[in-house]
Amino acid sequence: MTEKITVAGVRVDTRHWIGGERVASTETFTDVSPIDGSAIGEIARGGPAEAGRAVAAAKAAFPAWAATSRAERARILHGIADGVETRIEELAIVETTDNGALLRSHRRGVMPRVAHNFRFFADWLLKLEHEDFETRGHTNHVSWDPAGPSVLITPWNAPLMLATWKVAPALAAGNTVILKPAEWSPLTASLLADIAAEAGLPAGVLNIVQGYGSEIGDALTSHPDVRRISFTGSVPTAKRIAASAAANLTPLSLELGGKSPLLVFADADLDLAVDLAVEQYDNAGQVCLAATRFLVEESIAEELTRRFVDKAIRLRQGDPRDEATDIGPNIHPRQLEKIDGFVQRAIEAGARAVVGGHRKDGQFYAPTLLADVAQDSEIVQEEVFGPVLTLQTFATEEEAVRLANDTRFGLAATVATGDPERAERVTARLVAGTVWVNCFFVRDLQAPFGGSRHSGVGREGGTWSFDFYCDVKNTVTAPNGWKNHG
């Protein structure tokens, strides 16, 4: 296999990164750009052998990394952030080529956020503490002990940002890592290996293996030497991972899909509500947090729909490398087929396409809004993960909350209202890990993040991340226990 390929002028190694060195596989898979369907290159396709080698490398490196001082770990993480910042343009163009997301977003938001992920957890590590407390004169001291090798399995919709969202806290906690990026967008993970090595991260502390989940993922999640598993992706895959991890009782963090609502009340700022609604087409609808179900109070539904359509039809779809483009392609022909299947089945069942409802040339799907949908229909209940939204109306606050909570998911929710008392009442009753009021996608790494119901297990962010990646210990010391000392 070719060991390195050139992507938009950037050299990318196509091999795994295990134990501080590049490792080839006898098999490969083809990485394809969603922009034009062209083959980018052949990528090392790992299996059980590579999985075992990566876990062994992580296990061997763990004792020294766990014993490394907090200050030194933080220094290296800041060094990785420095490396990311010097290569933002390269990372941005490679990821846009690989997954089709907007280049302007990668340059201005996504890749700077990658660097921030490392800086935030490096800094949080240095202030991580719990105040000692007493129990009948005994002193309780809480500490966070590194857990061990951690398997991180990450998605394709924001590959590097979501990978480092896990990698950074795991490394800060003192764990060693085996990262398995999505096979549809593996390239920036390979560049991360180079950046981490240049920053002085010891060999074996970060390992990156590529391939299909059914071939290498199962070998990783069932390995008895793995101490933590964190996964972002679909519910069916999460169930397989959980079953695989069960034999070893390996702790899991699962951030899964969503079918989030956007509740718009008649007292809302309609211009703001329309902006929030159209924003759900970001990244071609490939955002787990997207509020894909519009729940609109009956009295304003017609006006809101008119304003929404006027704005939605002006969105520009095209080459994500063009600064003027608003929506790029969907990631893969298989994903496009899945999106269209959802839409066509909904239309056959009686839904009406207010806008869109069809494929376009290449791997593009027209921004779509479907009305006349039943609450128990597939299109309302299941995650599409594309630029497809549904519209339903409600008459009362009670009905709005009931519709919002009536799916198996609970990742996020957005509320548009001009009444702070209503906002307080409604948000208290919504089943969701994150609720936004008159805003969307405002994320702070010190806040807990995760989903309820089938949207996930656990919370990450701030101290919650360290609680997951560490074994949290309480040491209780008796008073006057040092009589024989010295």
PDB file of all heavy atoms in Angstrom, residues 97-132:
ATOM      1  N   THR A  97     -12.141  17.996   2.591  1.00  0.00           N
ATOM      2  CA  THR A  97     -12.020  17.040   1.497  1.00  0.00           C
ATOM      3  C   THR A  97     -12.551  15.677   1.906  1.00  0.00           C
ATOM      4  O   THR A  97     -13.189  14.973   1.113  1.00  0.00           O
ATOM      5  CB  THR A  97     -10.545  16.902   1.066  1.00  0.00           C
ATOM      6  OG1 THR A  97     -10.040  18.192   0.711  1.00  0.00           O
ATOM      7  CG2 THR A  97     -10.412  15.952  -0.122  1.00  0.00           C
ATOM      8  N   ASP A  98     -12.331  15.326   3.159  1.00  0.00           N
ATOM      9  CA  ASP A  98     -12.664  13.988   3.646  1.00  0.00           C
ATOM     10  C   ASP A  98     -14.134  13.818   4.008  1.00  0.00           C
ATOM     11  O   ASP A  98     -14.708  12.755   3.779  1.00  0.00           O
ATOM     12  CB  ASP A  98     -11.802  13.678   4.869  1.00  0.00           C
ATOM     13  CG  ASP A  98     -11.565  12.200   5.068  1.00  0.00           C
ATOM     14  OD1 ASP A  98     -11.804  11.421   4.124  1.00  0.00           O
ATOM     15  OD2 ASP A  98     -11.109  11.811   6.154  1.00  0.00           O
ATOM     16  N   ASN A  99     -14.762  14.857   4.601  1.00  0.00           N
ATOM     17  CA  ASN A  99     -16.152  14.658   5.030  1.00  0.00           C
ATOM     18  C   ASN A  99     -17.141  15.659   4.464  1.00  0.00           C
ATOM     19  O   ASN A  99     -18.342  15.559   4.732  1.00  0.00           O
ATOM     20  CB  ASN A  99     -16.246  14.636   6.565  1.00  0.00           C
ATOM     21  CG  ASN A  99     -16.410  16.014   7.194  1.00  0.00           C
ATOM     22  OD1 ASN A  99     -15.895  17.007   6.679  1.00  0.00           O
ATOM     23  ND2 ASN A  99     -17.098  16.061   8.317  1.00  0.00           N
ATOM     24  N   GLY A 100     -16.679  16.637   3.676  1.00  0.00           N
ATOM     25  CA  GLY A 100     -17.586  17.517   2.954  1.00  0.00           C
ATOM     26  C   GLY A 100     -18.169  18.667   3.741  1.00  0.00           C
ATOM     27  O   GLY A 100     -18.994  19.415   3.217  1.00  0.00           O
ATOM     28  N   ALA A 101     -17.762  18.857   4.992  1.00  0.00           N
ATOM     29  CA  ALA A 101     -18.264  19.991   5.769  1.00  0.00           C
ATOM     30  C   ALA A 101     -17.616  21.285   5.278  1.00  0.00           C
ATOM     31  O   ALA A 101     -16.570  21.268   4.615  1.00  0.00           O
ATOM     32  CB  ALA A 101     -17.985  19.779   7.250  1.00  0.00           C
ATOM     33  N   LEU A 102     -18.210  22.417   5.606  1.00  0.00           N
ATOM     34  CA  LEU A 102     -17.776  23.693   5.055  1.00  0.00           C
ATOM     35  C   LEU A 102     -16.351  24.046   5.487  1.00  0.00           C
ATOM     36  O   LEU A 102     -16.014  23.984   6.669  1.00  0.00           O
ATOM     37  CB  LEU A 102     -18.714  24.813   5.498  1.00  0.00           C
ATOM     38  CG  LEU A 102     -20.183  24.705   5.073  1.00  0.00           C
ATOM     39  CD1 LEU A 102     -20.937  25.953   5.515  1.00  0.00           C
ATOM     40  CD2 LEU A 102     -20.321  24.494   3.566  1.00  0.00           C
ATOM     41  N   LEU A 103     -15.543  24.447   4.531  1.00  0.00           N
ATOM     42  CA  LEU A 103     -14.168  24.841   4.819  1.00  0.00           C
ATOM     43  C   LEU A 103     -14.140  26.067   5.726  1.00  0.00           C
ATOM     44  O   LEU A 103     -13.319  26.149   6.640  1.00  0.00           O
ATOM     45  CB  LEU A 103     -13.416  25.116   3.515  1.00  0.00           C
ATOM     46  CG  LEU A 103     -11.959  25.557   3.653  1.00  0.00           C
ATOM     47  CD1 LEU A 103     -11.137  24.523   4.409  1.00  0.00           C
ATOM     48  CD2 LEU A 103     -11.353  25.815   2.263  1.00  0.00           C
ATOM     49  N   ARG A 104     -15.036  27.010   5.497  1.00  0.00           N
ATOM     50  CA  ARG A 104     -15.043  28.220   6.328  1.00  0.00           C
ATOM     51  C   ARG A 104     -15.339  27.874   7.782  1.00  0.00           C
ATOM     52  O   ARG A 104     -14.791  28.484   8.704  1.00  0.00           O
ATOM     53  CB  ARG A 104     -16.027  29.247   5.774  1.00  0.00           C
ATOM     54  CG  ARG A 104     -17.491  28.908   5.940  1.00  0.00           C
ATOM     55  CD  ARG A 104     -18.383  30.087   5.538  1.00  0.00           C
ATOM     56  NE  ARG A 104     -19.763  29.863   5.925  1.00  0.00           N
ATOM     57  CZ  ARG A 104     -20.787  29.861   5.077  1.00  0.00           C
ATOM     58  NH1 ARG A 104     -20.581  30.055   3.785  1.00  0.00           N
ATOM     59  NH2 ARG A 104     -22.007  29.669   5.509  1.00  0.00           N
ATOM     60  N   SER A 105     -16.205  26.882   8.011  1.00  0.00           N
ATOM     61  CA  SER A 105     -16.504  26.462   9.378  1.00  0.00           C
ATOM     62  C   SER A 105     -15.308  25.790  10.021  1.00  0.00           C
ATOM     63  O   SER A 105     -15.012  26.007  11.197  1.00  0.00           O
ATOM     64  CB  SER A 105     -17.701  25.508   9.382  1.00  0.00           C
ATOM     65  OG  SER A 105     -18.876  26.163   8.949  1.00  0.00           O
ATOM     66  N   HIS A 106     -14.603  24.965   9.243  1.00  0.00           N
ATOM     67  CA  HIS A 106     -13.413  24.310   9.772  1.00  0.00           C
ATOM     68  C   HIS A 106     -12.338  25.327  10.141  1.00  0.00           C
ATOM     69  O   HIS A 106     -11.686  25.218  11.183  1.00  0.00           O
ATOM     70  CB  HIS A 106     -12.856  23.325   8.741  1.00  0.00           C
ATOM     71  CG  HIS A 106     -13.610  22.031   8.702  1.00  0.00           C
ATOM     72  ND1 HIS A 106     -13.909  21.376   7.527  1.00  0.00           N
ATOM     73  CD2 HIS A 106     -14.124  21.264   9.693  1.00  0.00           C
ATOM     74  CE1 HIS A 106     -14.567  20.259   7.804  1.00  0.00           C
ATOM     75  NE2 HIS A 106     -14.713  20.175   9.101  1.00  0.00           N
ATOM     76  N   ARG A 107     -12.168  26.319   9.301  1.00  0.00           N
ATOM     77  CA  ARG A 107     -11.142  27.329   9.564  1.00  0.00           C
ATOM     78  C   ARG A 107     -11.469  28.180  10.777  1.00  0.00           C
ATOM     79  O   ARG A 107     -10.614  28.427  11.633  1.00  0.00           O
ATOM     80  CB  ARG A 107     -11.019  28.251   8.343  1.00  0.00           C
ATOM     81  CG  ARG A 107     -10.263  27.688   7.168  1.00  0.00           C
ATOM     82  CD  ARG A 107     -10.394  28.638   5.994  1.00  0.00           C
ATOM     83  NE  ARG A 107      -9.533  28.267   4.882  1.00  0.00           N
ATOM     84  CZ  ARG A 107      -9.749  28.642   3.622  1.00  0.00           C
ATOM     85  NH1 ARG A 107     -10.807  29.392   3.333  1.00  0.00           N
ATOM     86  NH2 ARG A 107      -8.917  28.277   2.667  1.00  0.00           N
ATOM     87  N   ARG A 108     -12.693  28.624  10.868  1.00  0.00           N
ATOM     88  CA  ARG A 108     -13.049  29.643  11.855  1.00  0.00           C
ATOM     89  C   ARG A 108     -13.560  29.083  13.170  1.00  0.00           C
ATOM     90  O   ARG A 108     -13.454  29.747  14.210  1.00  0.00           O
ATOM     91  CB  ARG A 108     -14.114  30.564  11.257  1.00  0.00           C
ATOM     92  CG  ARG A 108     -13.655  31.273   9.997  1.00  0.00           C
ATOM     93  CD  ARG A 108     -14.799  31.984   9.306  1.00  0.00           C
ATOM     94  NE  ARG A 108     -14.438  32.443   7.976  1.00  0.00           N
ATOM     95  CZ  ARG A 108     -15.293  32.951   7.085  1.00  0.00           C
ATOM     96  NH1 ARG A 108     -16.570  33.067   7.417  1.00  0.00           N
ATOM     97  NH2 ARG A 108     -14.884  33.324   5.887  1.00  0.00           N
ATOM     98  N   GLY A 109     -14.127  27.884  13.138  1.00  0.00           N
ATOM     99  CA  GLY A 109     -14.726  27.361  14.350  1.00  0.00           C
ATOM    100  C   GLY A 109     -14.235  25.997  14.784  1.00  0.00           C
ATOM    101  O   GLY A 109     -13.814  25.805  15.922  1.00  0.00           O
ATOM    102  N   VAL A 110     -14.277  25.032  13.864  1.00  0.00           N
ATOM    103  CA  VAL A 110     -14.045  23.636  14.246  1.00  0.00           C
ATOM    104  C   VAL A 110     -12.609  23.393  14.672  1.00  0.00           C
ATOM    105  O   VAL A 110     -12.347  22.835  15.753  1.00  0.00           O
ATOM    106  CB  VAL A 110     -14.449  22.690  13.102  1.00  0.00           C
ATOM    107  CG1 VAL A 110     -14.142  21.244  13.480  1.00  0.00           C
ATOM    108  CG2 VAL A 110     -15.935  22.851  12.782  1.00  0.00           C
ATOM    109  N   MET A 111     -11.642  23.768  13.836  1.00  0.00           N
ATOM    110  CA  MET A 111     -10.246  23.477  14.177  1.00  0.00           C
ATOM    111  C   MET A 111      -9.743  24.316  15.358  1.00  0.00           C
ATOM    112  O   MET A 111      -9.002  23.801  16.211  1.00  0.00           O
ATOM    113  CB  MET A 111      -9.350  23.642  12.960  1.00  0.00           C
ATOM    114  CG  MET A 111      -9.654  22.621  11.859  1.00  0.00           C
ATOM    115  SD  MET A 111      -9.708  20.913  12.499  1.00  0.00           S
ATOM    116  CE  MET A 111     -10.569  20.080  11.178  1.00  0.00           C
ATOM    117  N   PRO A 112     -10.125  25.596  15.486  1.00  0.00           N
ATOM    118  CA  PRO A 112      -9.785  26.301  16.728  1.00  0.00           C
ATOM    119  C   PRO A 112     -10.386  25.616  17.956  1.00  0.00           C
ATOM    120  O   PRO A 112      -9.776  25.602  19.029  1.00  0.00           O
ATOM    121  CB  PRO A 112     -10.385  27.698  16.509  1.00  0.00           C
ATOM    122  CG  PRO A 112     -10.327  27.892  15.029  1.00  0.00           C
ATOM    123  CD  PRO A 112     -10.646  26.537  14.460  1.00  0.00           C
ATOM    124  N   ARG A 113     -11.562  25.014  17.795  1.00  0.00           N
ATOM    125  CA  ARG A 113     -12.172  24.282  18.912  1.00  0.00           C
ATOM    126  C   ARG A 113     -11.353  23.037  19.255  1.00  0.00           C
ATOM    127  O   ARG A 113     -11.275  22.640  20.426  1.00  0.00           O
ATOM    128  CB  ARG A 113     -13.600  23.902  18.556  1.00  0.00           C
ATOM    129  CG  ARG A 113     -14.326  23.060  19.607  1.00  0.00           C
ATOM    130  CD  ARG A 113     -14.440  23.777  20.945  1.00  0.00           C
ATOM    131  NE  ARG A 113     -15.113  22.916  21.916  1.00  0.00           N
ATOM    132  CZ  ARG A 113     -16.425  22.893  22.111  1.00  0.00           C
ATOM    133  NH1 ARG A 113     -17.211  23.673  21.378  1.00  0.00           N
ATOM    134  NH2 ARG A 113     -16.950  22.096  22.997  1.00  0.00           N
ATOM    135  N   VAL A 114     -10.740  22.398  18.254  1.00  0.00           N
ATOM    136  CA  VAL A 114      -9.871  21.252  18.515  1.00  0.00           C
ATOM    137  C   VAL A 114      -8.748  21.652  19.465  1.00  0.00           C
ATOM    138  O   VAL A 114      -8.465  20.959  20.456  1.00  0.00           O
ATOM    139  CB  VAL A 114      -9.294  20.688  17.201  1.00  0.00           C
ATOM    140  CG1 VAL A 114      -8.190  19.668  17.477  1.00  0.00           C
ATOM    141  CG2 VAL A 114     -10.407  20.049  16.366  1.00  0.00           C
ATOM    142  N   ALA A 115      -8.103  22.764  19.172  1.00  0.00           N
ATOM    143  CA  ALA A 115      -7.039  23.252  20.051  1.00  0.00           C
ATOM    144  C   ALA A 115      -7.591  23.575  21.435  1.00  0.00           C
ATOM    145  O   ALA A 115      -6.968  23.264  22.462  1.00  0.00           O
ATOM    146  CB  ALA A 115      -6.373  24.482  19.442  1.00  0.00           C
ATOM    147  N   HIS A 116      -8.769  24.184  21.469  1.00  0.00           N
ATOM    148  CA  HIS A 116      -9.389  24.540  22.754  1.00  0.00           C
ATOM    149  C   HIS A 116      -9.678  23.297  23.587  1.00  0.00           C
ATOM    150  O   HIS A 116      -9.555  23.329  24.819  1.00  0.00           O
ATOM    151  CB  HIS A 116     -10.679  25.320  22.515  1.00  0.00           C
ATOM    152  CG  HIS A 116     -11.438  25.646  23.761  1.00  0.00           C
ATOM    153  ND1 HIS A 116     -10.951  26.492  24.734  1.00  0.00           N
ATOM    154  CD2 HIS A 116     -12.643  25.207  24.212  1.00  0.00           C
ATOM    155  CE1 HIS A 116     -11.825  26.573  25.724  1.00  0.00           C
ATOM    156  NE2 HIS A 116     -12.861  25.804  25.431  1.00  0.00           N
ATOM    157  N   ASN A 117     -10.088  22.195  22.941  1.00  0.00           N
ATOM    158  CA  ASN A 117     -10.342  20.965  23.692  1.00  0.00           C
ATOM    159  C   ASN A 117      -9.126  20.563  24.520  1.00  0.00           C
ATOM    160  O   ASN A 117      -9.245  20.213  25.704  1.00  0.00           O
ATOM    161  CB  ASN A 117     -10.703  19.829  22.732  1.00  0.00           C
ATOM    162  CG  ASN A 117     -12.097  19.965  22.155  1.00  0.00           C
ATOM    163  OD1 ASN A 117     -12.922  20.724  22.658  1.00  0.00           O
ATOM    164  ND2 ASN A 117     -12.369  19.233  21.085  1.00  0.00           N
ATOM    165  N   PHE A 118      -7.933  20.618  23.909  1.00  0.00           N
ATOM    166  CA  PHE A 118      -6.718  20.256  24.644  1.00  0.00           C
ATOM    167  C   PHE A 118      -6.391  21.273  25.720  1.00  0.00           C
ATOM    168  O   PHE A 118      -6.024  20.909  26.847  1.00  0.00           O
ATOM    169  CB  PHE A 118      -5.553  20.106  23.667  1.00  0.00           C
ATOM    170  CG  PHE A 118      -5.597  18.839  22.873  1.00  0.00           C
ATOM    171  CD1 PHE A 118      -5.994  18.854  21.540  1.00  0.00           C
ATOM    172  CD2 PHE A 118      -5.268  17.623  23.449  1.00  0.00           C
ATOM    173  CE1 PHE A 118      -6.057  17.679  20.806  1.00  0.00           C
ATOM    174  CE2 PHE A 118      -5.324  16.444  22.727  1.00  0.00           C
ATOM    175  CZ  PHE A 118      -5.718  16.471  21.398  1.00  0.00           C
ATOM    176  N   ARG A 119      -6.519  22.547  25.419  1.00  0.00           N
ATOM    177  CA  ARG A 119      -6.188  23.577  26.420  1.00  0.00           C
ATOM    178  C   ARG A 119      -7.151  23.518  27.608  1.00  0.00           C
ATOM    179  O   ARG A 119      -6.731  23.638  28.763  1.00  0.00           O
ATOM    180  CB  ARG A 119      -6.223  24.964  25.781  1.00  0.00           C
ATOM    181  CG  ARG A 119      -5.179  25.176  24.703  1.00  0.00           C
ATOM    182  CD  ARG A 119      -4.902  26.640  24.467  1.00  0.00           C
ATOM    183  NE  ARG A 119      -4.117  26.838  23.261  1.00  0.00           N
ATOM    184  CZ  ARG A 119      -2.810  26.609  23.175  1.00  0.00           C
ATOM    185  NH1 ARG A 119      -2.148  26.155  24.225  1.00  0.00           N
ATOM    186  NH2 ARG A 119      -2.170  26.834  22.031  1.00  0.00           N
ATOM    187  N   PHE A 120      -8.433  23.350  27.320  1.00  0.00           N
ATOM    188  CA  PHE A 120      -9.415  23.343  28.401  1.00  0.00           C
ATOM    189  C   PHE A 120      -9.130  22.220  29.386  1.00  0.00           C
ATOM    190  O   PHE A 120      -9.084  22.446  30.611  1.00  0.00           O
ATOM    191  CB  PHE A 120     -10.831  23.194  27.841  1.00  0.00           C
ATOM    192  CG  PHE A 120     -11.870  23.027  28.924  1.00  0.00           C
ATOM    193  CD1 PHE A 120     -12.446  24.124  29.516  1.00  0.00           C
ATOM    194  CD2 PHE A 120     -12.223  21.757  29.376  1.00  0.00           C
ATOM    195  CE1 PHE A 120     -13.380  23.968  30.548  1.00  0.00           C
ATOM    196  CE2 PHE A 120     -13.147  21.593  30.399  1.00  0.00           C
ATOM    197  CZ  PHE A 120     -13.728  22.700  30.981  1.00  0.00           C
ATOM    198  N   PHE A 121      -8.947  20.991  28.900  1.00  0.00           N
ATOM    199  CA  PHE A 121      -8.769  19.869  29.819  1.00  0.00           C
ATOM    200  C   PHE A 121      -7.396  19.884  30.479  1.00  0.00           C
ATOM    201  O   PHE A 121      -7.241  19.394  31.607  1.00  0.00           O
ATOM    202  CB  PHE A 121      -9.054  18.552  29.114  1.00  0.00           C
ATOM    203  CG  PHE A 121     -10.531  18.328  28.894  1.00  0.00           C
ATOM    204  CD1 PHE A 121     -11.098  18.473  27.638  1.00  0.00           C
ATOM    205  CD2 PHE A 121     -11.355  18.024  29.962  1.00  0.00           C
ATOM    206  CE1 PHE A 121     -12.463  18.290  27.444  1.00  0.00           C
ATOM    207  CE2 PHE A 121     -12.721  17.841  29.794  1.00  0.00           C
ATOM    208  CZ  PHE A 121     -13.281  17.976  28.526  1.00  0.00           C
ATOM    209  N   ALA A 122      -6.409  20.459  29.815  1.00  0.00           N
ATOM    210  CA  ALA A 122      -5.112  20.647  30.468  1.00  0.00           C
ATOM    211  C   ALA A 122      -5.258  21.587  31.656  1.00  0.00           C
ATOM    212  O   ALA A 122      -4.722  21.325  32.754  1.00  0.00           O
ATOM    213  CB  ALA A 122      -4.103  21.203  29.472  1.00  0.00           C
ATOM    214  N   ASP A 123      -5.988  22.668  31.467  1.00  0.00           N
ATOM    215  CA  ASP A 123      -6.171  23.640  32.548  1.00  0.00           C
ATOM    216  C   ASP A 123      -7.087  23.100  33.645  1.00  0.00           C
ATOM    217  O   ASP A 123      -6.861  23.340  34.841  1.00  0.00           O
ATOM    218  CB  ASP A 123      -6.745  24.947  31.989  1.00  0.00           C
ATOM    219  CG  ASP A 123      -5.760  25.679  31.092  1.00  0.00           C
ATOM    220  OD1 ASP A 123      -4.542  25.381  31.175  1.00  0.00           O
ATOM    221  OD2 ASP A 123      -6.197  26.533  30.294  1.00  0.00           O
ATOM    222  N   TRP A 124      -8.128  22.364  33.240  1.00  0.00           N
ATOM    223  CA  TRP A 124      -9.063  21.823  34.229  1.00  0.00           C
ATOM    224  C   TRP A 124      -8.349  20.808  35.122  1.00  0.00           C
ATOM    225  O   TRP A 124      -8.615  20.719  36.323  1.00  0.00           O
ATOM    226  CB  TRP A 124     -10.250  21.182  33.540  1.00  0.00           C
ATOM    227  CG  TRP A 124     -11.445  21.015  34.437  1.00  0.00           C
ATOM    228  CD1 TRP A 124     -11.753  19.924  35.194  1.00  0.00           C
ATOM    229  CD2 TRP A 124     -12.478  21.973  34.671  1.00  0.00           C
ATOM    230  NE1 TRP A 124     -12.922  20.141  35.900  1.00  0.00           N
ATOM    231  CE2 TRP A 124     -13.384  21.389  35.588  1.00  0.00           C
ATOM    232  CE3 TRP A 124     -12.731  23.268  34.202  1.00  0.00           C
ATOM    233  CZ2 TRP A 124     -14.525  22.058  36.037  1.00  0.00           C
ATOM    234  CZ3 TRP A 124     -13.872  23.924  34.652  1.00  0.00           C
ATOM    235  CH2 TRP A 124     -14.747  23.322  35.555  1.00  0.00           C
ATOM    236  N   LEU A 125      -7.434  20.036  34.518  1.00  0.00           N
ATOM    237  CA  LEU A 125      -6.669  19.061  35.283  1.00  0.00           C
ATOM    238  C   LEU A 125      -5.933  19.720  36.440  1.00  0.00           C
ATOM    239  O   LEU A 125      -5.873  19.177  37.555  1.00  0.00           O
ATOM    240  CB  LEU A 125      -5.669  18.361  34.359  1.00  0.00           C
ATOM    241  CG  LEU A 125      -4.610  17.473  35.012  1.00  0.00           C
ATOM    242  CD1 LEU A 125      -5.261  16.271  35.676  1.00  0.00           C
ATOM    243  CD2 LEU A 125      -3.574  17.046  33.981  1.00  0.00           C
ATOM    244  N   LEU A 126      -5.379  20.898  36.204  1.00  0.00           N
ATOM    245  CA  LEU A 126      -4.566  21.562  37.221  1.00  0.00           C
ATOM    246  C   LEU A 126      -5.389  22.112  38.378  1.00  0.00           C
ATOM    247  O   LEU A 126      -4.842  22.391  39.443  1.00  0.00           O
ATOM    248  CB  LEU A 126      -3.746  22.683  36.569  1.00  0.00           C
ATOM    249  CG  LEU A 126      -2.733  22.221  35.516  1.00  0.00           C
ATOM    250  CD1 LEU A 126      -1.981  23.415  34.954  1.00  0.00           C
ATOM    251  CD2 LEU A 126      -1.762  21.197  36.106  1.00  0.00           C
ATOM    252  N   LYS A 127      -6.687  22.267  38.160  1.00  0.00           N
ATOM    253  CA  LYS A 127      -7.526  22.775  39.258  1.00  0.00           C
ATOM    254  C   LYS A 127      -8.527  21.732  39.751  1.00  0.00           C
ATOM    255  O   LYS A 127      -9.404  22.030  40.558  1.00  0.00           O
ATOM    256  CB  LYS A 127      -8.264  24.036  38.823  1.00  0.00           C
ATOM    257  CG  LYS A 127      -9.231  23.855  37.660  1.00  0.00           C
ATOM    258  CD  LYS A 127      -9.865  25.198  37.292  1.00  0.00           C
ATOM    259  CE  LYS A 127     -10.850  25.054  36.140  1.00  0.00           C
ATOM    260  NZ  LYS A 127     -11.433  26.362  35.740  1.00  0.00           N
ATOM    261  N   LEU A 128      -8.370  20.496  39.275  1.00  0.00           N
ATOM    262  CA  LEU A 128      -9.284  19.432  39.664  1.00  0.00           C
ATOM    263  C   LEU A 128      -9.058  19.042  41.123  1.00  0.00           C
ATOM    264  O   LEU A 128      -7.989  18.548  41.488  1.00  0.00           O
ATOM    265  CB  LEU A 128      -9.059  18.210  38.757  1.00  0.00           C
ATOM    266  CG  LEU A 128      -9.950  16.991  39.002  1.00  0.00           C
ATOM    267  CD1 LEU A 128     -11.400  17.308  38.637  1.00  0.00           C
ATOM    268  CD2 LEU A 128      -9.442  15.809  38.180  1.00  0.00           C
ATOM    269  N   GLU A 129     -10.047  19.277  41.945  1.00  0.00           N
ATOM    270  CA  GLU A 129      -9.921  18.918  43.358  1.00  0.00           C
ATOM    271  C   GLU A 129     -11.289  18.909  44.015  1.00  0.00           C
ATOM    272  O   GLU A 129     -12.259  19.475  43.501  1.00  0.00           O
ATOM    273  CB  GLU A 129      -9.006  19.900  44.097  1.00  0.00           C
ATOM    274  CG  GLU A 129      -9.522  21.325  44.139  1.00  0.00           C
ATOM    275  CD  GLU A 129      -8.590  22.247  44.921  1.00  0.00           C
ATOM    276  OE1 GLU A 129      -7.614  21.741  45.497  1.00  0.00           O
ATOM    277  OE2 GLU A 129      -8.857  23.461  44.961  1.00  0.00           O
ATOM    278  N   HIS A 130     -11.349  18.244  45.135  1.00  0.00           N
ATOM    279  CA  HIS A 130     -12.544  18.235  45.967  1.00  0.00           C
ATOM    280  C   HIS A 130     -12.093  18.589  47.380  1.00  0.00           C
ATOM    281  O   HIS A 130     -11.134  18.011  47.897  1.00  0.00           O
ATOM    282  CB  HIS A 130     -13.208  16.851  45.947  1.00  0.00           C
ATOM    283  CG  HIS A 130     -14.551  16.803  46.598  1.00  0.00           C
ATOM    284  ND1 HIS A 130     -14.748  16.984  47.959  1.00  0.00           N
ATOM    285  CD2 HIS A 130     -15.783  16.591  46.074  1.00  0.00           C
ATOM    286  CE1 HIS A 130     -16.027  16.885  48.242  1.00  0.00           C
ATOM    287  NE2 HIS A 130     -16.685  16.642  47.114  1.00  0.00           N
ATOM    288  N   GLU A 131     -12.750  19.518  47.983  1.00  0.00           N
ATOM    289  CA  GLU A 131     -12.349  19.946  49.331  1.00  0.00           C
ATOM    290  C   GLU A 131     -12.451  18.784  50.317  1.00  0.00           C
ATOM    291  O   GLU A 131     -13.440  18.037  50.319  1.00  0.00           O
ATOM    292  CB  GLU A 131     -13.242  21.099  49.790  1.00  0.00           C
ATOM    293  CG  GLU A 131     -12.831  21.707  51.116  1.00  0.00           C
ATOM    294  CD  GLU A 131     -13.691  22.899  51.498  1.00  0.00           C
ATOM    295  OE1 GLU A 131     -14.493  23.351  50.645  1.00  0.00           O
ATOM    296  OE2 GLU A 131     -13.574  23.372  52.656  1.00  0.00           O
ATOM    297  N   ASP A 132     -11.408  18.598  51.119  1.00  0.00           N
ATOM    298  CA  ASP A 132     -11.451  17.564  52.156  1.00  0.00           C
ATOM    299  C   ASP A 132     -12.600  17.850  53.122  1.00  0.00           C
ATOM    300  O   ASP A 132     -12.962  19.015  53.365  1.00  0.00           O
ATOM    301  CB  ASP A 132     -10.140  17.530  52.936  1.00  0.00           C
ATOM    302  CG  ASP A 132      -8.994  16.951  52.114  1.00  0.00           C
ATOM    303  OD1 ASP A 132      -9.251  16.478  50.984  1.00  0.00           O
ATOM    304  OD2 ASP A 132      -7.850  16.981  52.595  1.00  0.00           O
TER     305      ASP A 132
END
